[in-house]
Amino acid sequence: MISNFERKYGKYAVKNLTLYLIAGYVIGYMVSLINPTLYGLLTFNPYMILHGQIWRIVTWVLTMPEELSIFTIIMLILYYQLGQTLERTWGTYRYNVYLISGLIFTVVGAIVLYVVLTFVYKDTFSSQTLGSYIGAYVSTYYINMSIFLAFAATYPEEQLMLYFIIPIKIKWFGVLYGAYILIDIYNAFSYARQIGTYVIAIITTVLIVMSLLNFILYFISLKKNGGAFSVAQAKRKKQYRQQVNRARQNQTYQNGARHKCAVCGRTELDDPNLTFRYCSKCSGNKEYCQDHLFTHKHM
């Protein structure tokens, strides 16, 4: 399905999407310094969204995922580098799908959660209070983390320099991130037991899962069939396209046809309705008609 959409809408994909995301943080940080009241109107709040402030569905992406510090700056630079590598590996369109789907999952999860909790806790919390609670936990923090986790799953043997000195394989950082997420959820439930209500724990858990749902789906795909976004698949796809382009540029048969089935010998001149495809498993850029594409013997 992604491939079909890529053929139709791939030209609309935004290049360097990670850079735009980080630029949004800079804008949001500047707004928070210049006009804190205006910054408050940018944050996510499902109560306000359902009462007319629909711009918050988009503008929350501008809010900083955490307080600005030298550590935050270093991490954003790292996420930018990892995002650029993933975009080159997967392609711009598929990286757009990965990152934007994480944002959409977060928004949908937060609004659905708000509606459910408003019904369940209608006698305990006002809808406005629940909207503020959910809005306080909606950020791109775990969206950024999903970039790191995707890189760790795609390039598990790559190394990062801990404290710029100690080389550690990135897959172990991925495991550490996973443990950190579980600790966040555990702490939320521990705090819930102390205050006597689990609403904060539910909000925290659901929003973490929804923010990382794009990575969860990618990881399942990677383990199931090598992943449509895997390095091997991306390399194979690139080589296949190069072979097809070379064949199309150089291949013209004696009768003027540009396509010819390697099995039956028919061309587009014999039947204009025939569809031809190249087989990536056959050597020499073999081309087959629609009747023999899946039934031929690989050569």
Side-chain angles (χ1 to χ4, degrees):
M1 182 180 67
I2 290 177
S3 298
N4 291 334
F5 276 99
E6 183 177 6
R7 284 191 289 270
K8 294 180 180 179
Y9 307 110
K11 59 183 178 181
Y12 300 112
V14 180
K15 295 183 178 180
N16 300 319
L17 186 58
T18 312
L19 180 61
Y20 288 109
L21 186 64
I22 295 175
Y25 296 154
V26 175
I27 294 173
Y29 180 69
M30 296 301 295
V31 171
S32 69
L33 293 178
I34 298 171
N35 192 335
T37 302
L38 177 60
Y39 183 79
L41 294 174
L42 302 179
T43 59
F44 190 92
N45 187 315
Y47 175 81
M48 294 299 182
I49 290 172
L50 296 178
H51 285 77
Q53 298 183 6
I54 58 175
W55 65 81
R56 293 175 182 262
I57 293 178
V58 177
T59 57
W60 70 276
V61 179
L62 302 178
T63 58
M64 290 290 294
E66 50 190 331
E67 293 185 2
L68 187 64
S69 65
I70 185 63
F71 176 76
T72 305
I73 294 174
I74 292 174
M75 291 304 296
L76 290 178
I77 293 174
L78 174 63
Y79 288 143
Y80 169 73
Q81 293 173 338
L82 300 184
Q84 288 292 93
T85 302
L86 288 177
E87 184 174 338
R88 288 193 297 268
T89 302
W90 297 348
T92 301
Y93 176 81
R94 290 174 181 242
Y95 182 69
N96 276 211
V97 170
Y98 181 81
L99 203 55
I100 294 175
S101 65
L103 300 174
I104 293 175
F105 289 150
T106 302
V107 170
V108 172
I111 292 178
V112 172
L113 180 64
Y114 169 75
V115 173
V116 172
L117 292 182
T118 301
F119 177 77
V120 174
Y121 290 96
K122 59 183 178 181
D123 298 328
T124 307
F125 299 98
S126 67
S127 57
Q128 192 169 1
T129 299
L130 287 173
S132 299
Y133 281 168
I134 293 174
Y137 286 90
V138 173
S139 77
T140 55
Y141 178 82
Y142 289 101
I143 303 294
N144 292 332
M145 187 178 289
S146 73
I147 297 175
F148 186 95
L149 293 173
F151 187 90
T154 307
Y155 295 98
E157 302 303 320
E158 289 293 314
Q159 291 185 340
L160 285 181
M161 304 301 289
L162 182 63
Y163 302 119
F164 304 100
I165 299 174
I166 307 172
I168 298 180
K169 290 185 178 180
I170 198 169
K171 63 183 179 181
W172 300 121
F173 281 105
V175 173
L176 184 63
Y177 267 47
Y180 180 74
I181 293 169
L182 294 178
I183 291 173
D184 276 352
I185 296 175
Y186 174 80
N187 289 338
F189 278 92
S190 296
Y191 178 70
R193 284 194 295 270
Q194 294 176 9
I195 64 176
T197 178
Y198 285 89
V199 64
I200 299 298
I202 294 172
I203 292 172
T204 302
T205 303
V206 171
L207 291 180
I208 287 176
V209 172
M210 294 304 295
S211 296
L212 294 175
L213 185 57
N214 56 343
F215 169 73
I216 295 172
L217 295 176
Y218 167 63
F219 187 77
I220 292 173
S221 171
L222 196 67
K223 292 299 182 183
K224 183 178 179 181
N225 55 16
F229 295 174
S230 67
V231 178
Q233 288 282 56
K235 182 178 179 181
R236 181 171 175 265
K237 183 178 179 181
K238 182 179 179 180
Q239 291 175 342
Y240 176 69
R241 284 181 173 176
Q242 290 174 344
Q243 291 175 351
V244 170
N245 290 335
R246 284 197 300 266
R248 285 178 175 174
Q249 291 172 2
N250 301 327
Q251 179 175 282
T252 301
Y253 296 99
Q254 292 181 352
N255 59 359
R258 300 188 62 86
H259 304 284
K260 183 178 180 180
C261 179
V263 175
C264 65
R266 289 185 296 175
T267 69
E268 73 273 19
L269 300 180
D270 298 317
D271 185 352
N273 296 321
L274 281 178
T275 300
F276 296 88
R277 293 289 184 270
Y278 291 91
C279 178
S280 59
K281 296 182 180 180
C282 293
S283 60
N285 302 320
K286 296 294 187 300
E287 192 175 12
Y288 300 92
C289 68
Q290 61 201 33
D291 297 329
H292 299 107
L293 178 60
F294 300 106
T295 58
H296 70 274
K297 182 179 180 180
H298 297 300
M299 294 180 287

